[in-house]
Amino acid sequence: MPDLVTSFANPIVKRYRALGARKVRRRESCFVVEGLQPVWRAVASPWDIDTLIVAPDLLTNEAARRMVDGQREAGCPVLSVSREVFAHLSDRDGPAGLAAIVRGSVDGVERFRPPSGRPVVALHQVGNPGNIGAILRSADAAGAGGVMLVGACADPLAPAAVKASMGSVFAVPMAHAESVDDLFGWSESHSRPVVAVTGNTRNSLWRTAVDARSVLLFGSEGDGLPADLVARCAASVAIPMEGTAESLNLATAASVALFELARRRDQKDRV
């Protein structure tokens, strides 16, 4: 039985906490993930595991215990901590006792190679990491090609984003475009039209043809897309709405658009 860490001052415990800060994640090219499914997906993905953190008193799932033992035998560092130390690290009620430090960062657009024939989501100056994580989850479920962050966006590897993605952060290709010009330069070089999804158009998504390879561009939660940015796009579409709501949550809007394209793809495949 490995020694059990009971001190909050343990260097790895302190490092895990420090990785909650974006500047530390950037400096170390590492981030943190917690929970049975997200950690398992991290282990099964090409991302490198720096350290697994387990609280034996909390981790009751036998399959997860065997996975941790297998990782330990394969040479992955595993830190066993007390229930109290894990609670100190966790941001959840009733934590499952499994977390990890993962190596990795988001590359620029130069190395972004999403699968052809699938749409890409581009998020312009989106500031809520929870929304980004939820969009990653929807992109994964809808079979999207990837997600691009444009300009000053929240970190998709922030704890709130990773949590909201439920492990999809490890499955969906991501890239960061420093500027709008980088976005359009990438889209042109890969023959992918940029389509603005905005409430400021009469073009209904239900009735507008959208290239399956399109980059679906969404704006920030509060301001949406600037008019001059929409004007640069190949097309613009709106999600039809009824009732009194003025707008949809950003993650919801992205999900609706992605699944509409997935529905069209399915119909095409059936023909």
Side-chain angles (χ1 to χ4, degrees):
M1 181 71 178
D3 292 337
L4 199 68
V5 170
T6 59
S7 171
F8 295 171
N10 175 275
I12 297 177
V13 172
K14 293 174 68 175
R15 180 176 175 230
Y16 186 101
R17 295 272 291 181
L19 285 167
R22 188 170 190 168
K23 65 179 181 180
V24 179
R25 293 194 297 274
R26 283 180 169 175
R27 184 178 69 232
E28 296 199 13
S29 293
C30 287
F31 61 102
V32 298
V33 57
E34 180 189 352
L36 296 184
Q37 180 183 353
V39 172
W40 208 311
R41 292 188 70 178
V43 169
S45 77
W47 295 69
D48 293 328
I49 305 299
D50 180 281
T51 308
L52 286 174
I53 301 173
V54 56
D57 289 349
L58 295 174
L59 187 60
T60 58
N61 185 289
E62 287 301 323
R65 284 177 176 267
R66 290 193 296 271
M67 180 272 287
V68 171
D69 290 340
Q71 290 296 304
R72 183 185 285 111
E73 291 172 3
C76 178
V78 177
L79 182 73
S80 297
V81 302
S82 68
R83 177 190 298 264
E84 293 75 19
V85 169
F86 198 91
H88 175 67
L89 298 177
S90 177
D91 63 355
R92 304 184 180 194
D93 295 327
L98 184 62
I101 298 174
V102 181
R103 300 189 196 99
S105 58
V106 178
D107 291 329
V109 294
E110 300 82 7
R111 300 175 61 182
F112 190 42
R113 297 290 186 274
S116 60
R118 295 297 175 98
V120 168
V121 175
L123 304 174
H124 179 250
Q125 296 186 356
V126 171
N128 186 318
N131 271 339
I132 292 177
I135 290 168
L136 286 167
R137 186 177 181 181
S138 293
D140 188 9
V147 173
M148 183 185 297
L149 293 309
V150 183
C153 281
D155 185 2
L157 303 181
V162 175
K163 180 180 180 180
S165 83
M166 285 298 292
S168 290
V169 66
F170 302 111
V172 178
M174 293 184 291
H176 178 235
E178 292 286 345
S179 68
V180 169
D181 288 340
D182 289 337
L183 161 66
F184 282 97
W186 182 87
S187 69
E188 290 168 8
S189 65
H190 290 81
S191 300
R192 288 178 177 262
V194 180
V195 176
V197 183
T198 172
N200 297 320
T201 181
R202 294 183 177 181
N203 302 323
S204 168
L205 174 61
W206 303 162
R207 298 190 299 271
T208 303
V210 177
D211 191 311
R213 303 164 300 156
S214 292
V215 179
L216 301 178
L217 178 61
F218 295 84
S220 64
E221 295 87 351
D223 298 330
L225 289 170
D228 60 340
L229 182 50
V230 174
R232 290 185 64 175
C233 296
S236 62
V237 295
I239 296 171
M241 295 176 54
E242 298 182 15
T244 61
E246 293 184 357
S247 63
L248 291 173
N249 168 271
L250 174 61
T252 301
S255 297
V256 170
L258 286 171
F259 276 97
E260 169 62 11
L261 294 193
R263 183 190 65 81
R264 295 180 190 183
R265 194 165 61 242
D266 179 70
Q267 283 187 332
K268 183 178 180 181
D269 290 343
R270 291 172 183 268
V271 174

